[in-house]
Amino acid sequence: MHVIIRQYEEECGVTVADIVDRAVRSGPATLGLATGSSPLSVYRELIRRHREDGLSFADAQAFLLDEYVGLPPSHPQSYANVIRAEFTAHVDIDDDRVYGPDGVGDDIATAATEYDVLLAESGPVDVQLLGIGANGHLGFNEPGSSLGSRTRVATLTEQTRTDNARFFDGVDDVPRHVITQGLGTIGAARHLVLIATGEHKAAAVAAAVEGPVTASCPASVLQLHPHVTMVVDEAAAARLEDADFYRYAMRHPAPLHG
Ligand code: GLP
């Protein structure tokens, strides 16, 4: 796992945007997009590069991590709408090639399975953006999620509903159920890139990077993946015991060849 510590959130966004930029410029890319506050600095930087530096997403396709059950794509807080508003509407990606789980159909359990199959057939995802919940969740895989789980309908913890209430009129409006890519589904991506900022993420980041691999901290499954980059600001890095070594490794990166 490669841990990159930056001082500020916007610097984290630029670092992650560099990774996406490289993938998109090197051929038709399959991107995994996350919602929530954490990737917003990444999307701002990618939109800027699209407008000012000619970064084109015309050959890319994208898959969302998760979706609320019961919110149609027209709902302001559906993740289908959020990703459009925060990112995809501002770049030249084809709207029909931005896929997400269907949270409003008659049979959402089957829709979840079909989304998993679609991802497997269209993937692998080249770069998967991830945030982390304060309880260590990835996507909407709450503590207790099987480390090999697939895309499915899941129940949110009250903590996550409370954390996400800021996007709604109140906690009562936050759906209790979601469709989320499973941890096994997420792990099929070639490169997992997690961004975390702020001291409220420090405990989850430390558990994910340095704690035991356990379903109690779903993000700890990242330790089993061959290519993970964790980009954190100083506040989110505050509880990492080996932060000095991660900084040292940043100054002395392992040579790629020879
Ligand atoms: C949300 C999303 C996750 C996100 C996490 C953190 O509920 N489902 O994909 O990473 O919680 O959110 P934020 O980045 O707003 O802190």
Side-chain angles (χ1 to χ4, degrees), residues 206-218:
V209 177
E210 297 175 339
V213 175
T214 165
S216 299
C217 176

Side-chain angles (χ1 to χ4, degrees), residues 6-225:
R6 300 280 184 229
Q7 192 160 8
Y8 301 116
E9 179 177 0
E10 289 303 312
E11 294 172 88
C12 294
V14 170
T15 298
V16 176
D18 284 344
I19 296 170
V20 176
D21 187 319
R22 271 197 299 278
V24 169
R25 288 188 202 267
S26 62
T30 299
L31 302 176
L33 301 179
T35 43
S37 315
S38 303
L40 293 180
S41 60
V42 182
Y43 298 144
R44 281 194 292 273
E45 176 63 12
L46 290 173
I47 292 166
R48 188 197 66 72
R49 292 180 191 200
H50 170 68
R51 290 180 178 155
E52 298 174 17
D53 301 340
L55 180 63
S56 173
F57 295 83
D59 293 331
Q61 59 177 349
F63 289 85
L64 290 187
L65 265 181
D66 45 17
E67 183 56 277
Y68 289 111
V69 168
L71 301 192
S74 58
H75 189 287
Q77 291 310 326
S78 75
Y79 283 168
N81 188 63
V82 168
I83 203 69
R84 207 177 305 121
E86 302 289 359
F87 179 46
T88 59
H90 307 285
V91 296
D92 58 347
I93 194 167
D94 182 348
D95 212 27
D96 290 338
R97 299 185 75 206
V98 180
Y99 304 93
D102 173 11
V104 287
D106 291 337
D107 184 352
I108 49 174
T110 300
T113 304
E114 288 172 354
Y115 187 67
D116 205 276
V117 171
L118 175 70
L119 252 169
E121 289 174 348
S122 320
V125 167
D126 293 301
V127 177
Q128 174 65 60
L129 301 183
L130 297 166
I132 186 170
N135 62 1
H137 75 220
L138 278 192
F140 272 136
N141 292 280
E142 298 283 33
S145 296
S146 158
L147 300 183
S149 51
R150 309 303 309 184
T151 305
R152 66 201 186 286
V153 183
T155 303
L156 292 183
T157 62
E158 284 300 298
Q159 180 184 344
T160 297
R161 292 183 70 234
T162 304
D163 288 348
N164 288 3
R166 68 190 191 280
F167 297 114
F168 294 81
D169 287 339
V171 70
D172 292 342
D173 291 344
V174 183
R176 287 182 199 282
H177 297 105
V178 291
I179 297 178
T180 183
Q181 283 188 35
L183 296 171
T185 316
I186 293 168
R190 288 197 170 105
H191 187 182
L192 303 178
V193 183
L194 188 147
I195 181 166
T197 58
E199 63 181 344
H200 61 301
K201 297 293 175 71
V205 166
V209 177
E210 297 175 339
V213 175
T214 165
S216 299
C217 176
S220 65
V221 75
L222 297 177
Q223 295 175 37
L224 300 174
H225 192 279

